[in-house]
Structures are given as structure tokens and as C-alpha cells.
Coordinates of all heavy atoms in Angstrom, one line a residue:
M1298 N 6.7 -202.4 -52.4 CA 6.7 -201.3 -53.4 C 6.3 -200.0 -52.6 O 5.3 -200.0 -52.0 CB 5.8 -201.6 -54.6 CG 6.1 -200.7 -55.7 SD 5.0 -201.0 -57.1 CE 5.7 -202.4 -57.9
S1299 N 7.1 -199.0 -52.8 CA 6.8 -197.8 -52.1 C 5.7 -197.0 -52.8 O 5.4 -197.3 -54.0 CB 8.1 -196.9 -52.1 OG 8.4 -196.5 -53.4
L1300 N 5.1 -196.1 -52.1 CA 3.9 -195.4 -52.6 C 4.2 -194.5 -53.8 O 3.4 -194.6 -54.8 CB 3.3 -194.6 -51.4 CG 1.9 -194.0 -51.7 CD1 0.9 -195.1 -52.0 CD2 1.5 -193.2 -50.5
P1301 N 5.3 -193.8 -53.8 CA 5.6 -193.0 -55.0 C 5.8 -193.8 -56.2 O 5.4 -193.5 -57.3 CB 6.8 -192.2 -54.6 CG 6.8 -192.1 -53.2 CD 6.2 -193.4 -52.7
L1302 N 6.5 -194.9 -56.1 CA 6.8 -195.8 -57.2 C 5.5 -196.4 -57.7 O 5.3 -196.5 -58.9 CB 7.7 -196.9 -56.8 CG 8.2 -197.9 -57.9 CD1 8.9 -197.1 -59.0 CD2 9.1 -199.0 -57.3
L1303 N 4.6 -196.8 -56.8 CA 3.3 -197.3 -57.2 C 2.5 -196.3 -58.0 O 1.8 -196.6 -59.0 CB 2.5 -197.8 -56.0 CG 1.1 -198.4 -56.3 CD1 1.3 -199.7 -57.0 CD2 0.4 -198.7 -54.9
A1304 N 2.5 -195.0 -57.5 CA 1.8 -193.9 -58.2 C 2.4 -193.7 -59.6 O 1.6 -193.5 -60.6 CB 1.9 -192.6 -57.4
I1305 N 3.7 -193.8 -59.8 CA 4.3 -193.6 -61.1 C 3.9 -194.7 -62.0 O 3.6 -194.5 -63.2 CB 5.9 -193.5 -60.9 CG1 6.2 -192.2 -60.2 CG2 6.5 -193.6 -62.3 CD1 7.7 -192.1 -59.8
V1306 N 3.9 -195.9 -61.5 CA 3.5 -197.1 -62.3 C 2.1 -196.9 -62.8 O 1.7 -197.2 -63.9 CB 3.8 -198.4 -61.6 CG1 3.1 -199.6 -62.3 CG2 5.2 -198.6 -61.4
C1307 N 1.2 -196.5 -61.9 CA -0.2 -196.3 -62.2 C -0.4 -195.2 -63.3 O -1.2 -195.4 -64.2 CB -1.0 -196.0 -61.0 SG -1.3 -197.4 -59.9
L1308 N 0.3 -194.1 -63.1 CA 0.2 -193.0 -64.1 C 0.7 -193.5 -65.5 O 0.1 -193.1 -66.5 CB 0.9 -191.8 -63.6 CG 0.2 -191.0 -62.5 CD1 1.1 -189.9 -62.0 CD2 -1.1 -190.4 -63.0
L1309 N 1.8 -194.2 -65.5 CA 2.3 -194.7 -66.8 C 1.4 -195.6 -67.4 O 1.2 -195.6 -68.6 CB 3.7 -195.3 -66.5 CG 4.9 -194.4 -66.4 CD1 6.1 -195.2 -66.1 CD2 5.1 -193.6 -67.7
T1310 N 0.8 -196.5 -66.6 CA -0.2 -197.5 -67.2 C -1.4 -196.7 -67.8 O -1.8 -197.1 -68.9 CB -0.7 -198.4 -66.1 OG1 0.5 -199.1 -65.5 CG2 -1.6 -199.5 -66.6
V1311 N -1.9 -195.8 -67.1 CA -3.1 -195.0 -67.6 C -2.7 -194.2 -68.9 O -3.4 -194.2 -69.9 CB -3.6 -194.1 -66.5 CG1 -4.6 -193.1 -67.1 CG2 -4.3 -194.9 -65.4
T1312 N -1.5 -193.6 -68.9 CA -1.1 -192.8 -70.0 C -0.9 -193.7 -71.2 O -1.3 -193.4 -72.3 CB 0.2 -192.1 -69.7 OG1 0.0 -191.2 -68.5 CG2 0.7 -191.2 -70.8
L1313 N -0.2 -194.8 -71.1 CA 0.0 -195.7 -72.2 C -1.3 -196.3 -72.7 O -1.4 -196.5 -73.9 CB 1.0 -196.8 -71.8 CG 2.5 -196.3 -71.6 CD1 3.3 -197.5 -71.1 CD2 3.0 -195.8 -72.9
G1314 N -2.2 -196.6 -71.8 CA -3.5 -197.2 -72.2 C -4.3 -196.2 -73.0 O -4.9 -196.5 -74.0
Y1315 N -4.2 -194.9 -72.6 CA -5.0 -193.9 -73.3 C -4.3 -193.6 -74.7 O -5.0 -193.4 -75.7 CB -5.1 -192.6 -72.5 CG -5.9 -191.5 -73.2 CD1 -7.2 -191.7 -73.3 CD2 -5.3 -190.4 -73.7 CE1 -8.0 -190.7 -74.0 CE2 -6.0 -189.4 -74.4 CZ -7.4 -189.6 -74.5 OH -8.1 -188.6 -75.1
S1316 N -3.0 -193.6 -74.7 CA -2.3 -193.4 -76.0 C -2.6 -194.5 -77.0 O -2.8 -194.3 -78.2 CB -0.8 -193.2 -75.8 OG -0.3 -194.4 -75.3
V1317 N -2.7 -195.8 -76.5 CA -3.0 -196.9 -77.4 C -4.5 -196.8 -77.9 O -4.8 -197.0 -79.0 CB -2.8 -198.2 -76.7 CG1 -3.4 -199.4 -77.4 CG2 -1.3 -198.5 -76.5
K1318 N -5.4 -196.3 -77.0 CA -6.8 -196.1 -77.4 C -6.9 -195.1 -78.4 O -7.7 -195.2 -79.4 CB -7.6 -195.8 -76.1 CG -9.1 -195.7 -76.4 CD -9.9 -195.5 -75.2 CE -11.3 -195.4 -75.6 NZ -12.1 -196.4 -74.9
C1319 N -6.1 -194.0 -78.3 CA -6.2 -192.9 -79.3 C -5.6 -193.4 -80.6 O -6.0 -192.9 -81.7 CB -5.4 -191.7 -78.8 SG -6.3 -190.8 -77.5
W1320 N -4.6 -194.3 -80.5 CA -4.0 -194.8 -81.8 C -5.0 -195.7 -82.5 O -5.1 -195.6 -83.7 CB -2.7 -195.5 -81.4 CG -2.0 -196.1 -82.6 CD1 -1.6 -195.4 -83.8 CD2 -1.6 -197.4 -82.7 NE1 -1.0 -196.3 -84.6 CE2 -1.0 -197.6 -84.0 CE3 -1.7 -198.5 -81.9 CZ2 -0.5 -198.8 -84.4 CZ3 -1.2 -199.7 -82.3 CH2 -0.6 -199.8 -83.6
L1321 N -5.6 -196.6 -81.8 CA -6.5 -197.6 -82.4 C -7.9 -197.0 -82.8 O -8.4 -197.4 -83.8 CB -6.7 -198.8 -81.4 CG -5.5 -199.6 -81.2 CD1 -5.8 -200.7 -80.1 CD2 -5.0 -200.3 -82.4
S1322 N -8.4 -196.1 -81.9 CA -9.7 -195.5 -82.2 C -9.6 -194.0 -82.0 O -9.9 -193.5 -80.9 CB -10.7 -196.1 -81.2 OG -12.0 -195.5 -81.4
P1323 N -9.2 -193.2 -83.0 CA -9.0 -191.8 -82.8 C -10.3 -191.0 -82.6 O -10.2 -189.9 -82.2 CB -8.3 -191.4 -84.1 CG -8.6 -192.4 -85.1 CD -8.8 -193.7 -84.4
F1324 N -11.4 -191.6 -83.0 CA -12.7 -190.9 -82.9 C -13.5 -191.5 -81.8 O -13.7 -192.7 -81.7 CB -13.4 -190.8 -84.2 CG -12.7 -190.1 -85.2 CD1 -12.0 -190.7 -86.2 CD2 -12.8 -188.7 -85.3 CE1 -11.3 -190.0 -87.2 CE2 -12.2 -188.0 -86.3 CZ -11.4 -188.6 -87.2
G1325 N -14.2 -190.7 -81.0 CA -15.1 -191.1 -80.0 C -16.5 -190.5 -80.2 O -16.7 -189.7 -81.1
D1326 N -17.4 -190.9 -79.4 CA -18.8 -190.4 -79.5 C -18.8 -188.9 -79.1 O -18.1 -188.5 -78.1 CB -19.8 -191.1 -78.7 CG -20.1 -192.5 -79.3 OD1 -19.8 -192.7 -80.5 OD2 -20.5 -193.4 -78.5
C1327 N -19.6 -188.1 -79.7 CA -19.8 -186.7 -79.3 C -20.4 -186.6 -77.9 O -21.3 -187.4 -77.6 CB -20.7 -186.0 -80.4 SG -21.0 -184.3 -80.0
R1328 N -19.9 -185.8 -77.1 CA -20.4 -185.7 -75.7 C -21.7 -184.9 -75.7 O -22.5 -185.1 -74.7 CB -19.3 -185.0 -74.9 CG -18.1 -185.8 -74.6 CD -17.2 -185.1 -73.6 NE -16.7 -183.9 -74.1 CZ -15.5 -183.7 -74.7 NH1 -14.7 -184.7 -74.9 NH2 -15.1 -182.5 -75.1
K1329 N -21.9 -184.0 -76.6 CA -23.2 -183.2 -76.6 C -24.4 -184.0 -77.0 O -25.4 -184.0 -76.4 CB -23.0 -182.0 -77.5 CG -24.2 -181.1 -77.4 CD -23.9 -179.8 -78.1 CE -25.0 -178.8 -77.8 NZ -24.8 -177.5 -78.5
C1330 N -24.2 -184.8 -78.1 CA -25.4 -185.5 -78.6 C -25.3 -187.1 -78.3 O -26.2 -187.8 -78.8 CB -25.5 -185.3 -80.1 SG -24.2 -185.9 -81.1
S1331 N -24.3 -187.5 -77.6 CA -24.1 -188.9 -77.2 C -24.0 -189.8 -78.4 O -24.4 -190.9 -78.4 CB -25.3 -189.4 -76.3 OG -25.4 -188.6 -75.2
G1332 N -23.4 -189.3 -79.5 CA -23.1 -190.1 -80.7 C -24.3 -190.2 -81.6 O -24.2 -191.0 -82.6
M1333 N -25.4 -189.5 -81.4 CA -26.6 -189.7 -82.3 C -26.5 -188.7 -83.5 O -27.1 -189.0 -84.5 CB -27.8 -189.4 -81.5 CG -28.1 -190.5 -80.5 SD -29.7 -190.3 -79.6 CE -30.8 -190.6 -81.0
G1334 N -25.8 -187.6 -83.3 CA -25.7 -186.6 -84.4 C -26.8 -185.6 -84.4 O -26.8 -184.6 -85.1
H1335 N -27.8 -185.8 -83.5 CA -28.8 -184.8 -83.3 C -29.4 -184.9 -81.9 O -29.1 -185.9 -81.2 CB -30.0 -185.0 -84.3 CG -30.5 -186.4 -84.3 ND1 -31.5 -186.8 -83.4 CD2 -30.2 -187.5 -84.9 CE1 -31.8 -188.1 -83.5 NE2 -31.0 -188.5 -84.5
E1336 N -30.1 -183.9 -81.5 CA -30.8 -184.0 -80.2 C -32.2 -184.6 -80.3 O -32.8 -184.5 -81.4 CB -30.8 -182.6 -79.5 CG -31.6 -181.6 -80.2 CD -31.7 -180.3 -79.5 OE1 -31.7 -180.3 -78.3 OE2 -31.8 -179.2 -80.2
L1337 N -32.7 -185.1 -79.3 CA -34.1 -185.6 -79.3 C -35.0 -184.6 -78.6 O -34.7 -184.0 -77.6 CB -34.2 -186.9 -78.5 CG -33.5 -188.1 -79.1 CD1 -33.5 -189.3 -78.2 CD2 -34.1 -188.4 -80.5
K1338 N -36.1 -184.4 -79.2 CA -37.1 -183.4 -78.7 C -38.4 -184.2 -78.5 O -38.6 -185.3 -79.0 CB -37.4 -182.3 -79.6 CG -36.3 -181.3 -79.7 CD -36.7 -180.1 -80.5 CE -35.9 -178.9 -80.1 NZ -36.4 -177.7 -80.6
T1339 N -39.3 -183.6 -77.8 CA -40.6 -184.2 -77.6 C -41.7 -183.3 -78.2 O -41.5 -182.0 -78.0 CB -41.0 -184.5 -76.1 OG1 -40.8 -183.3 -75.4 CG2 -40.0 -185.5 -75.5
D1340 N -42.7 -183.8 -78.8 CA -43.7 -183.0 -79.3 C -44.7 -182.7 -78.1 O -44.5 -183.1 -77.0 CB -44.4 -183.6 -80.5 CG -45.0 -184.9 -80.3 OD1 -45.0 -185.4 -79.1 OD2 -45.6 -185.5 -81.2
R1341 N -45.8 -182.1 -78.4 CA -46.8 -181.7 -77.4 C -47.4 -183.0 -76.7 O -47.9 -182.9 -75.6 CB -47.8 -180.8 -77.9 CG -47.3 -179.4 -78.2 CD -48.3 -178.5 -78.3 NE -48.5 -178.1 -79.7 CZ -49.5 -177.3 -80.2 NH1 -50.4 -176.8 -79.3 NH2 -49.6 -177.0 -81.4
K1342 N -47.5 -184.1 -77.5 CA -48.1 -185.3 -76.9 C -47.1 -186.1 -76.1 O -47.4 -187.1 -75.5 CB -48.6 -186.1 -78.0 CG -49.8 -185.5 -78.7 CD -50.3 -186.4 -79.8 CE -51.5 -185.8 -80.5 NZ -52.0 -186.6 -81.5
G1343 N -45.8 -185.7 -76.1 CA -44.8 -186.4 -75.3 C -44.0 -187.4 -76.1 O -43.2 -188.1 -75.5
R1344 N -44.3 -187.5 -77.4 CA -43.6 -188.5 -78.2 C -42.2 -187.9 -78.6 O -42.1 -186.7 -78.9 CB -44.4 -188.8 -79.5 CG -45.6 -189.6 -79.2 CD -46.3 -189.9 -80.4 NE -46.7 -188.7 -81.1 CZ -47.8 -188.6 -81.8 NH1 -48.7 -189.6 -81.9 NH2 -48.1 -187.4 -82.4
M1345 N -41.2 -188.8 -78.7 CA -39.9 -188.4 -79.1 C -39.8 -188.2 -80.6 O -40.4 -188.9 -81.3 CB -38.9 -189.4 -78.7 CG -38.8 -189.7 -77.2 SD -38.4 -188.3 -76.2 CE -36.7 -188.2 -76.5
K1346 N -39.1 -187.1 -81.0 CA -38.9 -186.9 -82.4 C -37.5 -186.3 -82.5 O -36.9 -185.8 -81.6 CB -39.9 -186.0 -83.0 CG -39.9 -184.5 -82.5 CD -41.0 -183.7 -83.2 CE -40.6 -182.3 -83.3 NZ -41.4 -181.5 -84.1
R1347 N -37.0 -186.3 -83.8 CA -35.7 -185.8 -84.1 C -35.6 -184.3 -83.9 O -36.5 -183.6 -84.5 CB -35.3 -186.3 -85.5 CG -33.9 -185.8 -85.8 CD -33.6 -186.2 -87.3 NE -32.5 -185.4 -87.8 CZ -31.3 -185.9 -87.9 NH1 -31.0 -187.1 -87.5 NH2 -30.3 -185.2 -88.3
G1348 N -34.6 -183.8 -83.3 CA -34.4 -182.4 -83.2 C -33.4 -181.9 -84.2 O -33.2 -182.5 -85.2
K1349 N -32.7 -180.8 -83.8 CA -31.8 -180.2 -84.7 C -30.5 -181.0 -84.8 O -30.2 -181.7 -83.9 CB -31.4 -178.8 -84.2 CG -32.5 -177.8 -84.3 CD -32.0 -176.4 -83.8 CE -33.1 -175.4 -83.8 NZ -32.6 -174.1 -83.3
D1350 N -29.7 -180.8 -85.9 CA -28.4 -181.4 -86.0 C -27.5 -180.9 -84.9 O -27.6 -179.7 -84.6 CB -27.8 -181.2 -87.4 CG -28.5 -182.0 -88.4 OD1 -29.3 -183.0 -88.1 OD2 -28.4 -181.7 -89.6
C1351 N -26.6 -181.7 -84.5 CA -25.6 -181.3 -83.5 C -24.6 -180.3 -84.1 O -24.0 -180.6 -85.1 CB -24.9 -182.5 -82.9 SG -23.7 -182.1 -81.6
R1352 N -24.4 -179.2 -83.5 CA -23.4 -178.2 -84.0 C -22.0 -178.6 -83.7 O -21.1 -178.2 -84.4 CB -23.7 -176.8 -83.5 CG -25.1 -176.3 -84.0 CD -25.3 -174.9 -83.6 NE -24.8 -174.5 -82.3 CZ -24.9 -173.3 -81.8 NH1 -25.6 -172.4 -82.5 NH2 -24.4 -173.0 -80.6
R1353 N -21.8 -179.3 -82.6 CA -20.4 -179.6 -82.2 C -19.8 -180.7 -83.2 O -18.6 -180.5 -83.5 CB -20.4 -180.2 -80.8 CG -19.0 -180.5 -80.3 CD -19.0 -181.0 -78.9 NE -19.2 -179.8 -78.0 CZ -19.3 -179.9 -76.7 NH1 -19.3 -181.1 -76.1 NH2 -19.5 -178.9 -76.0
C1354 N -20.5 -181.7 -83.5 CA -20.0 -182.8 -84.4 C -20.4 -182.7 -85.8 O -20.1 -183.5 -86.6 CB -20.3 -184.1 -83.8 SG -22.1 -184.5 -83.8
H1355 N -21.2 -181.7 -86.1 CA -21.8 -181.5 -87.5 C -22.6 -182.7 -88.0 O -22.5 -183.1 -89.1 CB -20.7 -181.2 -88.5 CG -19.8 -180.0 -88.1 ND1 -20.3 -178.7 -88.2 CD2 -18.6 -179.9 -87.6 CE1 -19.4 -177.9 -87.7 NE2 -18.3 -178.6 -87.4
A1356 N -23.4 -183.2 -87.1 CA -24.3 -184.3 -87.3 C -23.7 -185.6 -87.7 O -24.3 -186.5 -88.3 CB -25.3 -183.9 -88.4
T1357 N -22.4 -185.8 -87.4 CA -21.7 -187.1 -87.6 C -21.8 -188.0 -86.4 O -21.8 -189.2 -86.5 CB -20.2 -186.9 -87.9 OG1 -19.6 -186.3 -86.8 CG2 -20.1 -186.1 -89.2
G1358 N -21.9 -187.4 -85.2 CA -22.0 -188.2 -84.0 C -20.6 -188.6 -83.4 O -20.5 -189.2 -82.4
K1359 N -19.6 -188.2 -84.1 CA -18.2 -188.5 -83.7 C -17.4 -187.2 -83.5 O -17.7 -186.2 -84.0 CB -17.5 -189.3 -84.8 CG -18.1 -190.7 -85.1 CD -17.9 -191.5 -83.9 CE -18.6 -192.9 -84.1 NZ -18.5 -193.7 -82.9
R1360 N -16.4 -187.3 -82.6 CA -15.5 -186.2 -82.4 C -14.1 -186.8 -82.2 O -13.9 -188.0 -82.0 CB -15.8 -185.5 -81.1 CG -15.7 -186.4 -79.9 CD -15.8 -185.7 -78.6 NE -15.7 -186.6 -77.5 CZ -14.5 -187.1 -77.0 NH1 -13.4 -186.7 -77.4 NH2 -14.5 -188.0 -76.0
I1361 N -13.1 -186.0 -82.4 CA -11.7 -186.5 -82.3 C -11.3 -186.4 -80.8 O -11.7 -185.5 -80.1 CB -10.7 -185.7 -83.2 CG1 -9.4 -186.4 -83.3 CG2 -10.6 -184.3 -82.7 CD1 -8.6 -185.9 -84.5
R1362 N -10.6 -187.5 -80.4 CA -10.2 -187.6 -79.0 C -9.2 -186.5 -78.7 O -8.4 -186.1 -79.6 CB -9.7 -188.9 -78.7 CG -10.7 -190.0 -78.7 CD -10.1 -191.3 -78.3 NE -10.9 -192.4 -78.6 CZ -12.0 -192.8 -77.9 NH1 -12.3 -192.2 -76.9 NH2 -12.8 -193.8 -78.4
V1363 N -9.1 -186.1 -77.4 CA -8.2 -185.0 -77.0 C -6.7 -185.5 -77.3 O -5.9 -184.7 -77.8 CB -8.4 -184.7 -75.6 CG1 -7.3 -183.7 -75.1 CG2 -9.8 -184.1 -75.3
G1364 N -6.4 -186.7 -76.9 CA -5.0 -187.2 -77.1 C -4.6 -187.2 -78.6 O -3.5 -186.9 -79.0
R1365 N -5.6 -187.6 -79.5 CA -5.3 -187.6 -80.9 C -5.2 -186.2 -81.5 O -4.4 -185.9 -82.3 CB -6.4 -188.4 -81.6 CG -6.1 -188.6 -83.1 CD -4.9 -189.4 -83.3 NE -4.6 -189.6 -84.7 CZ -4.0 -190.7 -85.2 NH1 -3.7 -191.7 -84.4 NH2 -3.8 -190.7 -86.5
W1366 N -6.0 -185.3 -80.9 CA -5.9 -183.9 -81.4 C -4.5 -183.3 -81.0 O -3.9 -182.6 -81.9 CB -7.0 -183.1 -80.7 CG -7.1 -181.7 -81.1 CD1 -7.7 -181.2 -82.2 CD2 -6.4 -180.6 -80.5 NE1 -7.5 -179.8 -82.3 CE2 -6.7 -179.4 -81.2 CE3 -5.7 -180.4 -79.3 CZ2 -6.3 -178.2 -80.9 CZ3 -5.2 -179.2 -79.0 CH2 -5.5 -178.1 -79.7
I1367 N -4.0 -183.6 -79.8 CA -2.7 -183.1 -79.4 C -1.6 -183.7 -80.3 O -0.7 -183.0 -80.8 CB -2.5 -183.4 -77.9 CG1 -3.4 -182.5 -77.1 CG2 -1.0 -183.2 -77.6 CD1 -3.4 -182.9 -75.6
Y1368 N -1.7 -185.0 -80.6 CA -0.8 -185.7 -81.4 C -0.8 -185.1 -82.8 O 0.3 -184.8 -83.4 CB -1.0 -187.2 -81.5 CG -0.2 -187.9 -82.5 CD1 1.2 -188.1 -82.3 CD2 -0.7 -188.2 -83.8 CE1 2.0 -188.7 -83.2 CE2 0.1 -188.8 -84.7 CZ 1.4 -189.1 -84.5 OH 2.2 -189.7 -85.4
N1369 N -2.0 -184.9 -83.4 CA -2.1 -184.3 -84.8 C -1.5 -182.9 -84.8 O -0.8 -182.5 -85.7 CB -3.5 -184.2 -85.2 CG -4.1 -185.6 -85.5 OD1 -3.3 -186.6 -85.6 ND2 -5.4 -185.7 -85.7
R1370 N -1.7 -182.1 -83.8 CA -1.2 -180.7 -83.7 C 0.3 -180.8 -83.6 O 1.0 -180.0 -84.3 CB -1.8 -180.0 -82.5 CG -1.4 -178.6 -82.3 CD -1.8 -177.7 -83.5 NE -3.2 -177.6 -83.8 CZ -4.0 -176.7 -83.4 NH1 -3.5 -175.6 -82.8 NH2 -5.3 -176.7 -83.8
A1371 N 0.9 -181.6 -82.8 CA 2.3 -181.7 -82.6 C 3.0 -182.2 -83.9 O 4.0 -181.7 -84.3 CB 2.7 -182.7 -81.5
A1372 N 2.4 -183.2 -84.6 CA 2.9 -183.7 -85.8 C 2.9 -182.7 -86.9 O 3.9 -182.5 -87.7 CB 2.2 -185.0 -86.3
R1373 N 1.8 -181.9 -87.0 CA 1.7 -180.9 -88.0 C 2.8 -179.8 -87.7 O 3.4 -179.3 -88.7 CB 0.3 -180.2 -87.9 CG 0.0 -179.3 -89.1 CD -1.4 -178.8 -89.0 NE -2.4 -179.9 -88.9 CZ -3.3 -179.9 -87.9 NH1 -3.4 -179.0 -87.0 NH2 -4.2 -181.0 -87.8
T1374 N 3.0 -179.4 -86.5 CA 4.0 -178.4 -86.2 C 5.4 -178.9 -86.5 O 6.2 -178.2 -87.0 CB 3.9 -178.1 -84.7 OG1 2.6 -177.6 -84.4 CG2 4.9 -177.0 -84.3
Y1375 N 5.7 -180.2 -86.2 CA 7.0 -180.8 -86.5 C 7.2 -180.8 -88.0 O 8.3 -180.5 -88.5 CB 7.0 -182.2 -85.9 CG 8.3 -182.9 -86.3 CD1 9.5 -182.6 -85.6 CD2 8.4 -183.9 -87.3 CE1 10.7 -183.2 -85.9 CE2 9.6 -184.5 -87.6 CZ 10.7 -184.2 -86.9 OH 11.9 -184.8 -87.2
R1376 N 6.2 -181.2 -88.8 CA 6.4 -181.3 -90.3 C 6.6 -179.9 -90.8 O 7.4 -179.7 -91.7 CB 5.1 -181.9 -90.9 CG 5.1 -183.4 -90.9 CD 4.0 -183.9 -91.7 NE 2.8 -183.3 -91.2 CZ 1.8 -184.0 -90.7 NH1 1.9 -185.3 -90.6 NH2 0.7 -183.5 -90.2
A1377 N 5.9 -178.9 -90.3 CA 6.0 -177.5 -90.8 C 7.4 -176.9 -90.4 O 8.0 -176.1 -91.2 CB 5.0 -176.6 -90.2
G1378 N 8.0 -177.4 -89.3 CA 9.3 -176.9 -88.9 C 10.5 -177.6 -89.6 O 11.6 -177.0 -89.7
T1379 N 10.3 -178.7 -90.2 CA 11.4 -179.5 -90.8 C 11.4 -179.3 -92.3 O 12.2 -179.9 -93.0 CB 11.3 -180.9 -90.4 OG1 10.0 -181.5 -90.8 CG2 11.5 -181.2 -89.0
R1380 N 10.5 -178.6 -92.9 CA 10.5 -178.4 -94.4 C 11.5 -177.4 -94.8 O 12.0 -176.6 -94.3 CB 9.1 -177.9 -94.8 CG 8.1 -179.0 -94.7 CD 6.8 -178.5 -95.3 NE 5.8 -179.5 -95.1 CZ 4.6 -179.4 -95.5 NH1 4.1 -178.3 -96.0 NH2 3.7 -180.3 -95.2

């Protein structure tokens, strides 16, 4: 198998795998709070305590995946154009 053909097969495999992942699980953990919904702080004694709610995920701990966001935007544009 030639090198360009191998690269194409690898890229197709990764792309199809990511699209299936976005289809099956459209939400992933928030990158800012690691899926907790809030940050952890320490008090003066060094004990961990709950911090402020995460502003990126609005304290849900979940975010929409990039691939799913692109799909939703394309589908919304298509529906708006065919009405």
C-alpha cells in the first residue's frame, strides 16, 4: 500500500470515528472545569472546597462537541433555506 493511500485511509477512519462519536454522544465534559460544573478552591488551611460555578458550561459540566456543533449549524442553515 502506498503512503498517500495509507494516509487517506487513516484520515477517513479518524473522521468516521469522530462523526460516530458525535452522533452517539453529542456532549462531552467541559474542558474548563473537567466535567465538575465548578472549580475547586482551597481555604487557608489547605482543605478543598467548592468554588464558583463554571461560566463556560453554566454549572452543568457538559459541553457540546465541535463536530456536533458544526452539524447542528449546517442542519439549521439547510432547514432555514428550504422553507
